[in-house]
Amino acid sequence: MHIVNGLGVIAVVWLTSCASEGISEDSEQLYFSSDGSSHRGIHRFKRLRQVWLYRVNQSFLEEIAQLSHLESIHIDRNTATDLTCLKRLPRLRRLVIHGGTKIENLDWVSELASLEILAIENFKRVTRLDALASQTSLTALALEGSMWTRMSVASLRPISGLLKLRWLFLTNFAARDRSLRALYLLRKLEVLGTAAFYPDEEFIRLRRALPGLRCDWFSFIDNHGGIRKGIKTMVESARNNPPPPLP
């Protein structure tokens, strides 16, 4: 099925083969689930601007990188090992990748000059953020571990110059120096979502530096005298007040 709106022709179903009849090559948005080599031929869709992709291997990614009009890519279940081909996408503004267990570093990011939104999940081999320092156009950044594996880097210092950042999410992510000082200069930062892997004092100092920042841990400190005290109180409350059984 296709629909037409102000963005152009959109494929609104998950496609599994580029050989499917009736797919308009004028489509600007596409949902695609790859099965083996079923992605072959996707480079024909020269007008694509936004794609949601499922099961992306190296061959699939290389073909996607031929679509020079792409502005937004969302990838789930990535198995590609080399992301440098993305530098061939000069208009890419939004990049979301779930699954990067085979990616060793973020050096490829430095080639993506137009990025405004970057979200990566489960890039467990990445240990440094130096390559992000050049991404000064970013307004939103998410660096997330998986449900079971924490992402751990040396420090947040490389992102201290991303002065346009408004949203920062660090789920199951920790800086080994246990410092949030690198965020002090991010005057436009509105929301910080992070695990409680830092001392209370780091959050207190951060709020002083950025009084308009929203972070859930600030209320834990205010209401309970400390983050860990607040967590303990919540756990005890849940244990003592279990939800009623389902009917």
Side-chain angles (χ1 to χ4, degrees):
M1 180 188 301
H2 302 283
I3 60 175
V4 179
N5 67 5
L7 292 176
V9 182
I10 304 174
V12 296
V13 296
W14 278 97
L15 300 176
T16 58
S17 173
C18 288
S20 301
E21 295 182 1
I23 304 174
S24 172
E25 292 187 9
D26 290 329
S27 298
E28 295 188 5
Q29 299 187 12
L30 182 67
Y31 295 77
F32 194 93
S33 178
S34 179
D35 183 8
S37 60
S38 66
H39 61 273
R40 290 179 182 172
I42 202 170
H43 67 274
R44 302 195 321 268
F45 299 88
K46 299 295 186 183
R47 298 189 63 181
L48 282 175
R49 292 168 51 200
Q50 301 182 48
V51 292
W52 290 261
L53 310 173
Y54 185 71
R55 287 195 296 262
V56 176
N57 59 22
Q58 191 65 46
S59 174
F60 190 2
L61 190 69
E62 295 286 348
E63 191 158 353
I64 284 293
Q66 298 179 43
L67 302 172
S68 60
H69 284 73
L70 278 178
E71 300 174 7
S72 176
I73 299 176
H74 187 125
I75 295 175
D76 197 1
R77 293 202 181 183
N78 169 65
T79 59
T81 59
D82 184 356
L83 305 183
T84 56
C85 61
L86 294 175
K87 68 182 180 182
R88 301 201 295 266
L89 302 174
R91 302 183 184 186
L92 189 61
R93 295 186 294 111
R94 178 195 297 258
L95 178 62
V96 179
I97 303 178
H98 299 277
T101 58
K102 298 181 180 180
I103 306 300
E104 299 285 349
N105 56 61
L106 297 180
D107 292 352
W108 50 276
V109 175
S110 61
E111 302 284 349
L112 307 179
S114 300
L115 270 190
E116 297 175 6
I117 297 171
L118 174 64
I120 59 174
E121 178 188 76
N122 201 16
F123 280 55
K124 63 181 182 180
R125 299 189 183 189
V126 171
T127 59
R128 302 188 65 85
L129 302 180
D130 301 67
L132 292 178
S134 63
Q135 296 302 306
T136 54
S137 294
L138 284 177
T139 59
L141 176 62
L143 305 170
E144 304 185 348
S146 70
M147 182 177 293
W148 309 112
T149 304
R150 183 183 305 178
M151 183 176 179
S152 178
V153 302
S155 172
L156 291 171
R157 282 195 296 272
I159 70 171
S160 63
L162 305 185
L163 303 183
K164 294 183 180 180
L165 266 188
R166 297 172 60 192
W167 300 279
L168 179 60
F169 301 99
L170 307 172
T171 305
N172 204 10
F173 169 102
R176 290 191 296 276
D177 64 3
R178 304 188 72 203
S179 173
L180 297 173
R181 182 179 295 272
L183 308 184
Y184 289 4
L185 297 179
L186 305 182
R187 301 299 182 186
K188 294 186 177 181
L189 193 62
E190 299 175 16
V191 176
L192 171 65
T194 181
F197 294 148
Y198 308 89
D200 289 357
E201 292 76 12
E202 289 295 315
F203 289 99
I204 292 170
R205 295 189 189 107
L206 179 62
R207 182 160 59 170
R208 289 173 183 161
L210 302 176
L213 179 65
R214 299 197 301 274
C215 177
D216 289 344
W217 299 125
F218 294 164
S219 62
F220 274 63
I221 294 172
D222 291 341
N223 298 332
H224 303 283
I227 293 174
R228 282 144 197 85
K229 289 181 180 179
I231 293 173
K232 182 179 180 181
T233 298
M234 290 184 63
V235 170
E236 291 176 347
S237 176
R239 184 182 298 120
N240 296 330
N241 300 282
L246 294 174

